[in-house]
Amino acid sequence: MRVKPRLLKYLFGHHILNGVVVAVGVFLVGLASSALFGFHPGMAAASGALYVSIADTSTPFAAKLRILPFAWLCATAASFAFAFVDGQPWLEGGVIVATGFCAGLLIALGRWAIPLSVLTLLSLVFTLGVHAATLAERLDYAAMAAFGGALYIPVALVLTRLTDVSGRRLTLAEVLREFASFLRRVSGFYRKDADEGEVCLKVVEHQASFADHLQTARSLIVSAADRSEATRLIAALAAVLDGFDGIVSTLADHAPLRLAQSDLATEMERFLRALASDLDALALSLVIGGDLTFPDHEPALDAFSRLIEALERDGGADPEILRAARLTRSRVTLVLTNLARLPALLTSPDAAERALAGVDIRAFAPPLRVSFDAIADELRWSSPIFRHALRLAAALGCGYALIELVPGLRHGNWILLTIAVIMRASYSATRQRRDQRLFGSILGCGLAGILLWIGSAPLLLAVQLFAVAVAHAYVKVDYRLTSIAATVMALLGLHLIDPVEAPPVAARLVDTAIGAGVAFLFNFLLPNWERQSAPAVANGFLDALRRYADRALRWDGSEQDYRLARKSLMEAFSALGESATRMRADPVAQRDLWPEYSRLIAASYVAAAQIVTVRLLIRNRRGELDPTASRNLLDGTRRAAVAELEFSGPRADRRMPNESLDDTIFSALRQRCDEVLREARALRQLVEAHWAPDAHA
């Protein structure tokens, strides 16, 4: 069964399961609370469950045991703080500003804490929107919300346990799907007149998504109670990563550019796209339970080989093109060998055990650690997170002032809600969220208006539950869908709580526009342009590349050490790709570093490709190499490469030999090592020219 890649991403994945589980959890809390306390208190409890559910993401059970109670504390503290001061404008404003500042600082704890920041503000904003005449009524709402949030935690944990098995297979399917998308990006190198730098940027940017899904899968799979299943799924991930190594190695020597003007490039582009389609099909089989098979791609390789033979018969063929073609063919064969193992690894525990020999899978998904020292470290003027917290607090304060001072802003809490969900730590992310929020609000208000005109209570309840699932499921996949669903959910919720009062559909559109405008304007207060943080991101990546070279260029290197170094390098590449995406979206005046940044990314990728090529040659031709000579060659190459990549230290003094090379495997290894040093030196020259402390003085 074949499904279009974009459709596969939207309709099949762990995010769907997570959204459904959250919707069921919120529904059960609302149902139980309504049965115990009545409909209106039950809706308040459901709101509390909704706050906490924002932190109920694709994380292992053990991590949720720590995250969800913390989320409940944040939501409850914000709700009660505002309930106590409701009706006193100056105190209300102070609580809003203080809560906004604290919520902004929470992201210092790591990516997992971003939902905590959002739910803290949502709890505050929803409490602001409660129609309560007395302090007792406000506290009753806060108490019921706290009860609902607390009740949601055990419900969510039980649902997590019940869906663990299918959830883990879904995460592996997502990794296969993302790797397929990665292959489609790589195929762009083989198009005629391809811009290597531009294609490389797209590859690195998509690699960030691949690495993100990979880490989610690792975390969920490693935590599995069924060790046999965990071993099979992790072995499959390892095979995908070995295939990833092979694909990266095809980019060494700028091979795609050398092939670009021949039929070889067209054949390779077609092959990579076919391989991507087969991975999509395998991912779908994992989701729906079909037969796990991987097609034979030998005919495509044979066609590629025939083109090479035709070039060899042509006496005028460029030797560099021939060499690139042969190397590409051998590397792609390694990719296929690894991917063809997937069905066996997923069904045979013995095959999986053999594949993971010498690897401790627990090291790849360390337990969640919460340290408030991370927040304390950001309490300085130069910190981007500290500045984000100040911007967020100031924007919320401005939004609240508008609510108090402008008579027509009757449902002004929607302004604060818009600010809370749009404001991000970077200009580009805030601008993107602004556009998505406006789009979602317009469509959401239109849908809600139609549903309210129909007026069927069972239909409204069903749509409300569906909107909760969609809003949660698509927050990372497509925020426009989340914005549409959240708007529908909020408007229908207001109507269900108070059916007499007309829902403020039109007012919500005005409030959304005002909130989006405030959020965007305050993005220019103490701005954090990507060019300011790019050097730190680049340096972090270069450190990871140096450690990777140190682990990869070894004859007797530990498989565990290599895989951990590769994991760190992929995460660093992800950070680099995300940084590049943000910089390209910054105002033109703030992109002065962009040309150097794009060249750095392209040069770094080629250097990494050369290193992984050496690693693959050692692994796959080990029996044909002399251990002593190979060890000495690798030791010298490693020391020289690490010295070149230690940009603050002296240059390496190892000279590349000029002697001629024969056709032995050792000569091929020596040539590969020389090319590693050549790319490392080119990368160092680029860094010294554009990234040294005085380069932009």
Side-chain angles (χ1 to χ4, degrees):
M1 180 179 178
R2 302 282 176 169
V3 177
K4 290 184 178 180
R6 180 173 290 274
L7 196 61
L8 186 67
K9 181 174 184 177
Y10 275 80
L11 298 183
F12 301 96
H14 193 267
H15 62 283
I16 302 290
L17 178 64
N18 187 225
V20 171
V21 166
V22 164
V24 171
V26 172
F27 172 73
L28 291 176
V29 169
L31 188 65
S33 301
S34 296
L36 289 172
F37 306 106
F39 181 74
H40 291 291
M43 290 299 98
S47 297
L50 191 63
Y51 308 149
V52 177
S53 74
I54 294 172
D56 188 1
T57 57
S58 300
T59 49
F61 183 86
K64 287 187 181 182
L65 276 174
R66 305 183 69 183
I67 293 173
L68 295 184
F70 191 16
W72 178 82
L73 284 173
C74 292
T76 301
S79 182
F80 271 101
F82 196 84
F84 272 112
V85 301
D86 192 13
Q88 304 174 67
W90 286 105
L91 289 177
E92 286 182 355
V95 169
I96 288 171
V97 170
T99 304
F101 179 73
C102 294
L105 286 178
L106 281 174
I107 65 174
L109 296 174
R111 286 193 174 190
W112 65 269
I114 293 176
L116 296 181
S117 176
V118 175
L119 70 88
T120 300
L121 294 175
L122 290 190
S123 174
L124 175 78
V125 171
F126 272 61
T127 306
L128 170 63
V130 172
H131 298 290
T134 65
L135 175 62
E137 290 178 348
R138 293 192 294 270
L139 293 178
D140 283 345
Y141 171 83
M144 285 306 304
F147 171 80
L151 183 58
Y152 178 83
I153 295 173
V155 171
L157 294 175
V158 170
L159 291 173
T160 297
R161 279 298 192 202
L162 292 175
T163 57
D164 258 354
V165 175
S166 56
R168 286 190 289 271
R169 291 176 70 87
L170 282 171
T171 58
L172 175 59
E174 287 187 323
V175 169
L176 294 176
R177 184 199 71 210
E178 289 298 315
F179 186 50
S181 297
F182 174 77
L183 292 177
R184 292 186 179 94
R185 299 297 189 282
V186 172
S187 72
F189 282 112
Y190 297 94
R191 292 176 185 165
K192 188 176 180 180
D193 301 323
D195 183 330
E196 186 184 42
E198 185 64 26
V199 176
C200 188
L201 288 172
K202 292 180 180 178
V203 168
V204 172
E205 288 172 357
H206 190 80
Q207 188 174 313
S209 177
F210 173 57
D212 186 45
H213 284 83
L214 187 64
Q215 186 55 37
T216 298
R218 283 195 194 105
S219 299
L220 290 174
I221 294 170
V222 168
S223 65
D226 183 345
R227 303 314 300 166
S228 174
E229 184 203 29
T231 301
R232 283 184 281 113
L233 295 178
I234 286 291
L237 285 179
V240 172
L241 281 170
D242 289 340
F244 171 81
D245 274 354
I247 290 296
V248 171
S249 72
T250 63
L251 307 181
D253 310 331
H254 306 274
L257 283 184
R258 301 186 193 281
L259 303 179
Q261 304 305 318
S262 69
D263 292 338
L264 291 164
T266 303
E267 192 66 32
M268 185 52 56
E269 181 185 5
R270 186 184 301 117
F271 166 77
L272 289 174
R273 289 189 169 275
L275 186 58
S277 296
D278 291 335
L279 285 172
D280 280 340
L282 182 58
L284 186 59
S285 295
L286 273 173
V287 173
I288 65 177
D291 293 334
L292 301 180
T293 59
F294 194 77
D296 181 12
H297 285 271
E298 281 301 320
L301 290 181
D302 290 342
F304 195 77
S305 297
R306 286 193 294 272
L307 289 173
I308 296 175
E309 291 168 1
L311 279 178
E312 290 172 337
R313 289 193 297 269
D314 180 3
D318 187 337
E320 291 294 334
I321 293 179
L322 276 174
R323 178 171 177 266
R326 294 188 191 110
L327 291 173
T328 299
R329 206 282 187 192
S330 65
R331 292 161 186 165
V332 168
T333 301
L334 292 175
V335 173
L336 284 177
T337 300
N338 284 295
L339 296 181
R341 297 161 53 211
L342 286 171
L345 293 173
L346 288 167
T347 55
S348 171
D350 292 339
E353 289 284 357
R354 289 193 299 272
L356 292 178
V359 177
D360 179 8
I361 62 176
R362 293 169 297 181
F364 294 88
L368 176 72
R369 291 184 174 86
V370 181
S371 173
F372 289 98
D373 291 341
I375 293 179
D377 292 342
E378 299 297 335
L379 296 177
R380 63 184 192 281
W381 186 254
S382 60
S383 165
I385 292 177
F386 181 74
R387 291 184 170 214
H388 165 65
L390 289 175
R391 284 196 303 274
L392 180 58
L396 290 169
C398 178
Y400 178 72
L402 287 174
I403 295 170
E404 288 296 314
L405 297 175
V406 179
L409 298 180
R410 172 180 167 213
H411 297 281
N413 62 313
W414 198 263
I415 294 175
L416 298 183
L417 177 64
T418 300
I419 294 170
V421 298
I422 286 180
M423 285 288 285
R424 289 294 178 264
S426 70
Y427 168 87
S428 58
T430 299
R431 190 180 71 171
Q432 183 184 43
R433 277 294 176 95
R434 176 203 63 187
D435 297 341
Q436 293 170 336
R437 174 72 175 172
L438 288 171
F439 173 86
S441 292
I442 292 171
L443 264 66
C445 285
L447 289 173
I450 294 171
L451 291 166
L452 292 169
W453 176 75
I454 296 173
S456 169
L459 175 63
L460 296 182
L461 286 169
V463 172
Q464 175 84 339
L465 186 62
F466 178 73
V468 171
V470 172
H472 193 87
Y474 288 94
V475 68
K476 287 186 176 181
V477 177
D478 189 339
Y479 186 75
R480 291 172 300 180
L481 291 178
T482 291
S483 182
I484 293 169
T487 302
V488 171
M489 178 179 66
L491 291 173
L492 297 189
L494 288 171
H495 175 74
L496 291 170
I497 291 174
D498 190 359
V500 176
E501 184 174 353
V505 175
R508 292 305 191 195
L509 288 174
V510 175
D511 292 345
T512 298
I514 293 173
V518 170
F520 188 68
L521 288 175
F522 272 86
N523 209 36
F524 294 94
L525 174 68
L526 304 174
N528 178 40
W529 307 118
E530 194 59 32
R531 65 180 176 80
Q532 297 170 312
S533 54
V537 175
N539 288 334
F541 166 77
L542 294 170
D543 287 343
L545 181 62
R546 183 171 60 252
R547 291 193 298 271
Y548 177 70
D550 183 60
R551 297 294 184 271
L553 301 174
R554 293 176 181 268
W555 177 256
D556 295 317
S558 160
E559 185 71 13
Q560 174 92 354
D561 290 345
Y562 171 74
R563 289 184 179 276
L564 286 171
R566 180 178 61 187
K567 174 178 177 289
S568 297
L569 182 64
M570 288 187 69
E571 291 170 351
F573 255 128
S574 297
L576 202 63
E578 291 168 353
S579 177
T581 300
R582 291 191 296 268
M583 184 177 288
R584 286 206 288 184
D586 277 348
V588 175
Q590 304 301 330
R591 291 187 225 159
D592 56 312
L593 196 61
W594 175 246
E596 289 84 4
Y597 207 23
S598 59
R599 283 195 289 269
L600 174 71
I601 292 172
S604 299
Y605 213 84
V606 173
Q610 295 289 11
I611 294 169
V612 75
T613 300
V614 173
R615 172 74 183 183
L616 291 176
L617 194 154
I618 299 167
R619 172 188 285 179
N620 296 291
R621 309 296 291 271
R622 193 179 187 88
E624 304 172 57
L625 290 166
D626 176 77
T628 302
S630 299
R631 183 181 294 106
N632 291 337
L633 173 63
L634 288 168
D635 286 347
T637 303
R638 183 182 69 255
R639 286 192 293 268
V642 170
E644 289 289 357
L645 297 173
E646 184 67 60
F647 301 104
S648 60
R651 283 182 169 276
D653 57 3
R654 180 178 182 270
R655 296 176 179 271
M656 291 180 285
N658 294 319
E659 62 261 31
S660 61
L661 298 172
D662 52 34
D663 292 331
T664 65
I665 298 302
F666 182 76
S667 292
L669 177 62
R670 188 174 63 196
Q671 185 175 13
R672 291 280 133 222
C673 288
D674 292 343
E675 287 163 350
V676 166
L677 291 182
R678 186 177 296 111
E679 294 300 337
R681 289 173 181 173
L683 183 57
R684 177 168 183 142
Q685 290 174 356
L686 180 64
V687 170
E688 288 178 342
H690 300 290
W691 294 86
D694 58 347
H696 297 279

